[in-house]
Amino acid sequence: MRVEEAKYLAKKIMMAGEIPLLVGHFGVGKTDIARDIAAETGRELIILVLSQMEPGDLIGLPARTEEKTVFLKPDWWPESDDTILFLDEINRAHRSVRNAIMQLLVDRRIHNHILPEGTWIMAAMNPPEEEYDQADLITDPAFISRFFILEVNPDVSEWLEWAEKNNVSKEVRDFIRDYPEFLFSERSLSLRTSLKPSPRSWYKLSNVLKTLTDDEKEKYGYVIAAGIVGPEAAKAFYDSFFQRVKIPSVESVLFDGKIENLEDIHAANTLVLRIVDFLSKVDVRTLERHLDDVSKNLVRLSEIMPRESFYGVLRFLVDEAQKEGEKSWIFDKILEKMLEREDMRKMVNEL
């Protein structure tokens, strides 16, 4: 998203008491976003560059009293409500440092030191790519689920407007205007960890949605939701909320063959998640009763759904059929019937 959009949504997220995480390549303006929000809201900005810190820098040093050991406040600790605490370069921080800030993210405190009530927290990081020096990839879903993830990319017209206000030379501005491809190198951003919905993430999403108008929900609803519950759940939520795409029920697809147009990749992926969840919970007798219908309709689904989405169903069936579980035999039977088709055999071989 554009820098101005990221700034606007980051402010909304913090107003709701939640934590935005700006993900973007170096130089796109992540720190400037924090500075701008601080200036616009009259808040003091405290920047912690986590890659340069050790756990002791975060939790403070121990001191002995007459009866026990206590931890002193670190020198950066906010003293007033009107503060933004900016946790920069969290992906370059050592795991021990990330562990140290977990209590800050969860309880808004470290030891007995509690953040002032109105303190806002935001964070930033580069994408986890080989070109960046990273201490440890973030793969812990419990850690990453504390944030609303906002992917930031510069927009040429937006940057040119900023450049003029900030006295960037006319030669540079004219060059970027004529050759916008040289402003930055376009790359897709990925955290290499799946964002999955949870009771906590839906609660956090609710907190932010309460701060948005109906127009803002329509404009930013999907982006906000995708940053906390993942793209598939966000798409299903957004489409359901605005009644744009109705995703069929799993039973109507598997048992009755009522398969709608599933060319939309997000709708297809949402249906895949629901099918996998349904098959992993449904009892064996129900599947046995509908064995022929399920096998036939899954093959039909493969003809309508984008192939990369349907691979998710096939992978689940193959994995479950190979397990030593109560239901493995029924998944094996479903696969056996599906593999009577040559195109199905080819897809399985491609897994």
Side-chain angles (χ1 to χ4, degrees):
M1 69 181 66
R2 297 167 65 243
V3 172
E4 280 300 315
E5 289 176 323
K7 185 175 78 172
Y8 180 82
L9 293 178
K11 189 191 300 184
K12 285 285 187 179
I13 290 166
M14 289 189 288
M15 287 171 59
E18 303 296 343
I19 307 171
L21 169 57
L22 307 178
V23 183
H25 292 282
F26 67 95
V28 299
K30 300 186 293 295
T31 306
D32 287 338
I33 288 174
R35 290 195 178 102
D36 286 351
I37 293 176
E40 291 170 8
T41 57
R43 290 172 174 266
E44 177 190 3
L45 178 63
I46 298 174
I47 300 176
L48 301 183
V49 183
L50 298 183
S51 61
Q52 300 174 13
M53 302 182 78
E54 297 181 356
D57 299 324
L58 286 165
I59 64 177
L61 296 176
R64 191 176 71 179
T65 65
E66 292 181 0
E67 298 180 355
K68 57 186 177 181
T69 299
V70 296
F71 282 83
L72 303 173
K73 284 184 182 179
D75 61 357
W76 53 265
W77 194 262
E79 296 297 335
S80 70
D81 291 349
D82 297 326
T83 305
I84 296 178
L85 192 57
F86 184 57
L87 309 176
D88 200 7
E89 298 188 352
I90 66 167
N91 59 326
R92 294 190 183 188
H94 191 271
R95 185 185 294 268
S96 60
V97 173
R98 291 207 298 268
N99 289 340
I101 67 169
M102 193 64 167
Q103 188 183 21
L104 191 67
L105 302 177
V106 175
D107 299 325
R108 296 176 59 84
R109 67 188 297 161
I110 291 181
H111 296 305
N112 292 325
H113 308 312
I114 302 172
L115 285 178
E117 184 68 27
T119 304
W120 287 358
I121 305 175
M122 63 187 301
M125 62 177 279
N126 300 124
E129 297 183 354
E130 293 179 0
E131 67 182 273
Y132 294 108
D133 181 18
Q134 300 180 69
D136 202 0
L137 283 177
I138 300 176
T139 56
D140 181 3
F143 181 85
I144 209 67
S145 68
R146 303 292 169 182
F147 303 97
F148 277 80
I149 296 168
L150 303 176
E151 297 183 355
V152 187
N153 279 315
D155 173 81
V156 173
S157 59
E158 181 183 52
W159 185 86
L160 286 170
E161 184 179 339
W162 174 89
E164 187 168 358
K165 290 179 181 177
N166 287 271
N167 298 318
V168 174
S169 70
K170 187 175 184 303
E171 292 86 353
V172 170
R173 286 187 279 120
D174 288 346
F175 175 78
I176 295 300
R177 185 177 289 106
D178 293 338
Y179 301 95
E181 66 272 19
F182 286 106
L183 177 60
F184 78 111
S185 178
E186 180 77 60
R187 302 179 186 89
S188 61
L189 304 180
S190 170
L191 287 174
R192 295 189 186 175
T193 183
S194 299
L195 283 174
K196 298 177 181 177
S198 68
R200 181 175 62 226
S201 61
W202 287 113
Y203 174 74
K204 287 178 176 292
L205 177 59
S206 169
N207 288 340
V208 175
L209 290 177
K210 289 175 185 176
T211 72
L212 303 180
T213 65
D214 288 343
D215 288 343
E216 290 170 335
K217 287 175 185 174
E218 179 150 16
K219 185 174 182 179
Y220 300 116
Y222 172 74
V223 173
I224 287 285
I228 191 72
V229 300
E232 276 70 47
K235 180 66 175 175
F237 172 75
Y238 186 74
D239 287 342
S240 171
F241 192 84
F242 291 105
Q243 298 181 339
R244 301 193 175 205
V245 177
K246 187 167 178 61
I247 299 171
S249 71
V250 175
E251 292 92 335
S252 68
V253 170
L254 295 182
F255 299 160
D256 304 326
K258 295 180 180 178
I259 302 173
E260 308 287 337
N261 186 351
L262 290 170
E263 293 179 358
D264 181 273
I265 188 71
H266 293 293
N269 287 343
T270 299
L271 181 59
V272 166
L273 289 175
R274 293 170 67 180
I275 288 174
V276 167
D277 182 67
F278 175 82
L279 291 176
S280 47
K281 293 176 180 176
V282 69
D283 63 276
V284 175
R285 288 177 188 163
T286 300
L287 285 180
E288 189 176 13
R289 216 167 39 242
H290 295 278
L291 178 61
D292 289 337
D293 289 332
V294 170
S295 305
K296 177 183 67 178
N297 290 327
L298 282 175
V299 170
R300 284 190 58 212
L301 189 64
S302 73
E303 298 169 345
I304 298 172
M305 178 178 283
R307 176 168 288 211
E308 59 268 31
S309 299
F310 189 74
Y311 277 145
V313 177
L314 269 186
R315 230 176 257 114
F316 170 80
L317 292 172
V318 170
D319 290 345
E320 292 299 312
Q322 293 174 349
K323 289 180 180 176
E324 294 182 3
E326 177 191 357
K327 293 162 66 173
S328 61
W329 68 271
I330 192 69
F331 291 123
D332 191 52
K333 285 285 186 185
I334 293 172
L335 270 175
E336 183 181 324
K337 287 184 171 292
M338 293 174 65
L339 294 179
E340 291 174 1
R341 290 266 302 255
E342 183 181 355
D343 55 341
M344 284 289 99
R345 292 197 295 273
K346 285 182 180 178
M347 287 186 73
V348 169
N349 289 333
E350 290 172 359
L351 290 177

